[in-house]
Structures are given as structure tokens and as C-alpha cells.
Amino acid sequence: MTQKQTIQGPGLPNIPWEERPAGSSAVMWRYSNNPVIPRDLIPTSNSIFNSAVAPFEGAFAGVFRCDNTCREAWIHSGRSPNGIDFEIDPDPIRFVCDEPEIAEHLEAYDPRVCWIEDRYYVTWCNFYHGPTIGMAYTNDFKTFHQMENAFIPYNRNGVLFPRRINERYAMLSRPSDTGHTPFGDIFYSESPDLCYWGRHRFVMGTKGGWQSKKIGAGPVPIETTEGWLLIYHGVLNSCNGFVYSMGAALLDIDKPWKVMYRAKPYLLSPQMPYECMGDVPNVVFPCAALADGDTGRLAVYYGCADSVTGLAFAQVDEVIDFVKTHSSL
Ligand code: BMA
């Protein structure tokens, strides 16, 4: 298919895909066979959600949040031939690490996977005297080399950009607290070497409605001709607890801490039974997006009710149009 290439990235002809259901005008629509990953895919899992999938050797691989039946959160490696059927390693990732002081793990969750230059980087919420951003790299999804934590506690939702910006690596993160943080804005940080992070910039904070309590970056930002497309989660504090939805914004290509457009309505909110019922009801939590540069197709993986993993689809041009048309900064 030839069309204006909005996505500044390669084609992904085998991206999982389903057309928008007849009669729907939604900008993002769900995979008809959701949840794409059930909670009990491996024998020891209580739940599998908030997980990251990336193109790998002509197929797909990823890092998956599997909470076990002791209710401990761990991240596991996995593969898929098609982005729909997954095989997840029953044992958690055991990182190779020559720094014993950072090698101890109490918990690991909410991974993101980002290809930069010559390898896949994994960021996740790592416990080091409190939640912070753990980092590792892998080339084969078998051996994972743990790096220094990006920040001191408390921080969550560390999401790398897929290339250097102004010659430096770049990451979004969300300073937090020790618990179920009742606040949260997105910040931008730079690094010359993926070890030392600084030049911190405020990106965006809470707004009304679905994103009034806290927000956090979701999948690795997608480079487009219109800016970095950031899909993120936003939280509303209802009388019955937090409600997690996902929305989108466009960030400046060279200064990604500058928000150019930000959609006021959400893209997807918890409405299906598997998003509304589970260990934590009313949660959609995006952690990964596949993008096909040739067709503009997007496939977004998101955690549902802290229990299972869902898949949703969109066309990048339509998402950009939606963000611009409904923008409120
Ligand atoms: C956040 C994180 C996520 C989780 C969400 C909803 O604070 O812990 O892992 O999906 O809460 O419980």
C-alpha cells in the first residue's frame, strides 16, 4: 500500500490487525478476541497484564508482567509468532548483573521494551528501597543485562524514546510515592550514556475528567511527521476508587517536553467486562504499541483490570487527527 508515510519508522507487514467493526466510529477499537493474553497462561500466574511486545526476528517477543499466586509481581520473557498467540517463560527473568547492590529484586512490574540503535532496552518499575526505574538490555530475550537504575526512588512509568534526541538518550518518567500515588505528572530526562540522567523538564500534568488525578507515559513514543505520538494513561478518582483510561498527545520532535496537542477526550476507557472486573476493576493501562510505517496501523497492548492483557487497534492518521481536533493544552 502506498500512502503518505506518517510514521517515521519501518514497515511491519505482520502487525496483528483487525478492521474497525462495522458501524463503529471509534478512533481506537478492541481486538474481537480480547483478552489476547489470559491471566493463567503460565501455571504460576495469578494475572498477566501491563506488558510490552516488540518486533523480533520477523516475529514478536516481549516482557510480560506476571503476578504469581503468592501475589508477587515479576517480569517474564515471552515470544509470539503473530502478536496474538504468546508463549511466556514460566520463570521470571533472572538478570545478569555485576553490581550486587542493585541486583536484588523485591518486585518488578509494568515493563516497556524499546529498540535503540543495536539492542532492546527494558525499563520497568523496580524496587530499590522503593519503586524506581529499573533498566536492562537484551539482544535475544533470553539474557537480560541489568543496568543502573535510572533514578532514585520514587518513580514509575519510565519510558525511553526510540532514538537519541539532540544526541542524547531520552526518557519520560513519573515521580511518585511509596504507595498508590495520589498525584503524578510526566517529566522528560536526558542522558549521554543511559546511566547518568539529567536536564529534567516538565512535560505535562493532570487535566480534568479522566486524567484529573495522575498521568503516566504508556508505550514508547511513536515518531511521526506531526511530532512524537505519546499514548499515556490518565486516572480519575471516583467515589469507588481509581479509574484508568488511555489518551494521546503530540510532543515536539526536537523538544519533546513541549506538548503541541493533547486530546481532551480519552482514546479508550474501561468499558468491557474484562476491563471492569478483575483484581483491580476499571483499569486500561497501555505499555506497548506496534506500528507499521507502510500502512499507519497501530496495535496497542494494554493491561485490563490488573488481570489480563488486551489489544486495541487504530490508524495513526486518525489518532493524530483526533488529537489535533480535540486538543486542549
Ligand atoms: C498503578 C500501577 C499499575 C496498576 C495500576 C492500577 O499504580 O501499580 O501496575 O495497573 O496502578 O492498579
Side-chain angles (χ1 to χ4, degrees):
M1 191 188 290
T2 49
Q3 62 157 47
K4 169 176 79 95
Q5 271 230 198
T6 306
I7 294 170
Q8 300 295 285
L12 189 62
N14 58 341
I15 189 171
W17 184 252
E18 224 174 50
E19 293 299 334
R20 185 185 348 249
S24 165
S25 59
V27 68
M28 182 175 270
W29 59 97
R30 296 167 177 83
Y31 175 46
S32 59
N33 213 15
N34 263 352
V36 68
I37 305 178
R39 61 188 302 158
D40 58 353
L41 191 66
I42 58 174
T44 53
S45 62
N46 165 76
S47 42
I48 306 178
F49 57 109
N50 301 4
S51 296
V53 176
F56 175 67
E57 292 183 345
F60 301 93
V63 178
F64 301 83
R65 172 174 176 174
C66 302
D67 288 13
N68 64 25
T69 50
C70 308
R71 294 302 300 266
E72 299 156 339
W74 293 111
I75 54 178
H76 295 230
S77 184
R79 307 275 179 116
S80 172
N82 53 11
I84 300 275
D85 303 299
F86 287 90
E87 219 171 84
I88 296 179
D89 191 338
D91 296 316
I93 293 171
R94 293 194 211 296
F95 293 97
V96 175
C97 183
D98 49 22
E99 271 294 339
E101 289 183 36
I102 59 159
E104 260 178 51
H105 294 104
L106 289 176
E107 273 196 311
Y109 60 83
D110 297 359
R112 274 66 164 192
V113 173
C114 185
W115 172 265
I116 312 177
E117 293 163 5
D118 62 353
R119 62 192 75 181
Y120 295 90
Y121 290 92
V122 186
T123 52
W124 71 94
C125 179
N126 192 30
F127 263 70
Y128 178 78
H129 303 274
T132 185
I133 310 302
M135 291 188 68
Y137 68 85
T138 184
N139 278 303
D140 56 8
F141 287 89
K142 288 182 187 144
T143 307
F144 292 78
H145 302 267
Q146 193 180 352
M147 303 155 67
E148 289 288 338
N149 294 315
F151 305 114
I152 56 171
Y154 308 103
N155 206 317
R156 290 188 173 97
N157 299 301
V159 178
L160 288 163
F161 284 75
R163 66 165 171 84
R164 294 185 206 217
I165 299 169
N166 307 318
E167 287 166 26
R168 285 182 281 267
Y169 298 99
M171 189 182 334
L172 299 171
S173 74
R174 211 282 303 283
S176 68
D177 67 8
T178 50
H180 302 296
T181 319
F183 60 87
D185 300 336
I186 298 176
F187 287 81
Y188 177 89
S189 307
E190 294 182 349
S191 171
D193 57 2
L194 292 163
C195 180
Y196 296 96
W197 292 89
R199 299 171 60 96
H200 312 291
R201 298 284 183 275
F202 175 80
V203 179
M204 58 189 201
T206 54
K207 292 280 268 182
W210 64 271
Q211 46 184 336
S212 51
K213 194 67 184 169
K214 53 179 171 173
I215 57 171
V220 169
I222 298 159
E223 187 168 7
T224 77
T225 48
E226 310 303 301
W228 293 101
L229 175 61
L230 174 67
I231 295 174
Y232 64 99
H233 70 257
V235 181
L236 173 151
N237 196 12
S238 80
C239 62
N240 202 28
F242 287 165
V243 178
Y244 283 70
S245 304
M246 74 170 100
L250 281 165
L251 313 180
D252 184 86
I253 280 290
D254 299 317
K255 295 181 176 164
W257 57 92
K258 295 206 181 303
V259 183
M260 297 188 305
Y261 299 96
R262 178 176 180 182
K264 197 172 177 202
Y266 57 69
L267 284 177
L268 200 84
S269 81
Q271 296 180 7
M272 297 301 280
Y274 54 88
E275 297 162 346
C276 300
M277 286 182 282
D279 288 348
V280 181
N282 307 319
V283 179
V284 301
F285 195 97
C287 286
L290 302 172
D292 177 12
D294 294 334
T295 61
R297 291 174 171 176
L298 300 178
V300 177
Y301 293 86
Y302 65 102
C304 308
D306 285 13
S307 298
V308 296
T309 303
L311 177 58
F313 306 108
Q315 281 282 351
V316 76
D317 288 335
E318 293 180 5
V319 176
I320 288 172
D321 203 48
F322 177 84
V323 173
K324 285 186 173 175
T325 311
H326 300 286
S327 182
S328 163
L329 294 178

